[in-house]
Amino acid sequence: MMMNEFMAMLKKNENEHPPPTKLLNLAEQLCQELESSTPGLEKLVEAMMECKNKRYFLTNIHVVRACVSVHIHKGQHDAACRLLEYCKAEEKEELLQLWYEIHYQRLMEKYQTDVLTALQKFRCRKRNPPPISLCPEGLKNRNYSEEVRQQLHRFAAEVTANPNKKQRVGIC
């Protein structure tokens, strides 16, 4: 019932920029309700992604999650990644998790397994860093800054490579 209402509303408002809020809210609600129903979700996602207003739908995390889920289910990992790169949802942490889930799924399919070890997940994250659009502040870096590294190299060359506790305190 709601799906038919959504499809009719989508067709009626296909040239509206932006589409009515009611349509966007209905899309969110349907994505949540159809989360476990693959055929229904695929039909919904297909309709949203084929319309001219798809960028408006991709501002909602529930719609984004549904689209990514459908792409993964179809084995379209690259399409799921592209969708995440260009969506405008505010929930960056959840988008980042989806990014990693796509790559974990790809790796599980490659190794024909249902579970990845912590090490496999770590390596997967390192080999597939998220795009800047998902991490505008960049990934956390546990390394010292270039300035600090230069200071440490100078100290090692001029004083000693193995400083005692007193010398270590003096470096900073």
Side-chain angles (χ1 to χ4, degrees):
M1 182 67 177
M2 271 181 31
M3 178 71 101
N4 293 337
E5 181 186 348
F6 174 80
M7 293 299 190
M9 199 178 212
L10 185 64
K11 188 171 181 77
K12 178 183 170 193
N13 295 290
E14 68 183 334
N15 293 316
E16 293 279 326
H17 295 285
T21 306
K22 183 178 179 187
L23 180 63
L24 298 174
N25 292 341
L26 193 54
E28 174 184 359
Q29 191 177 351
L30 278 168
C31 286
Q32 288 175 304
E33 287 179 12
L34 295 172
E35 198 169 0
S36 58
S37 168
T38 305
L41 195 59
E42 282 182 8
K43 183 179 175 187
L44 176 65
V45 166
E46 186 179 315
M48 287 187 292
M49 294 302 100
E50 287 177 356
C51 82
K52 297 173 187 172
N53 288 323
K54 74 177 179 183
R55 66 186 173 113
Y56 294 104
F57 290 108
L58 294 175
T59 60
N60 183 290
I61 191 65
H62 299 288
V63 173
V64 172
R65 192 182 310 120
C67 293
V68 167
S69 170
V70 167
H71 284 308
I72 289 173
H73 181 74
K74 290 181 172 182
Q76 300 169 338
H77 300 99
D78 291 336
C81 289
R82 279 192 306 277
L83 188 136
L84 282 180
E85 284 184 60
Y86 301 109
C87 77
K88 300 295 181 202
E90 297 293 318
E91 296 84 352
K92 297 297 182 190
E93 199 58 40
E94 191 165 346
L95 293 174
L96 190 58
Q97 281 307 116
L98 284 170
W99 176 266
Y100 290 133
E101 286 301 320
I102 292 166
H103 290 88
Y104 295 159
Q105 188 65 39
R106 182 182 275 168
L107 198 60
M108 286 189 294
E109 288 173 12
K110 178 181 176 183
Y111 292 125
Q112 298 177 349
T113 184
D114 294 331
V115 182
L116 295 176
T117 65
L119 181 60
Q120 287 172 319
K121 286 182 176 184
F122 172 79
R123 287 180 177 156
C124 184
R125 287 191 305 273
K126 290 299 172 195
R127 290 180 181 135
N128 302 288
I132 294 293
S133 61
L134 296 182
C135 291
E137 70 285 344
L139 292 174
K140 291 180 182 171
N141 188 349
R142 292 189 174 98
N143 298 333
Y144 292 114
S145 68
E146 183 63 30
E147 182 183 327
V148 171
R149 282 197 307 272
Q150 286 176 351
Q151 198 174 4
L152 290 170
H153 283 295
R154 267 195 308 278
F155 184 86
E158 295 170 6
V159 182
T160 178
N162 301 308
N164 60 33
K165 188 171 186 171
K166 185 178 177 185
Q167 290 171 318
R168 285 195 302 265
V169 171
I171 293 173
C172 301

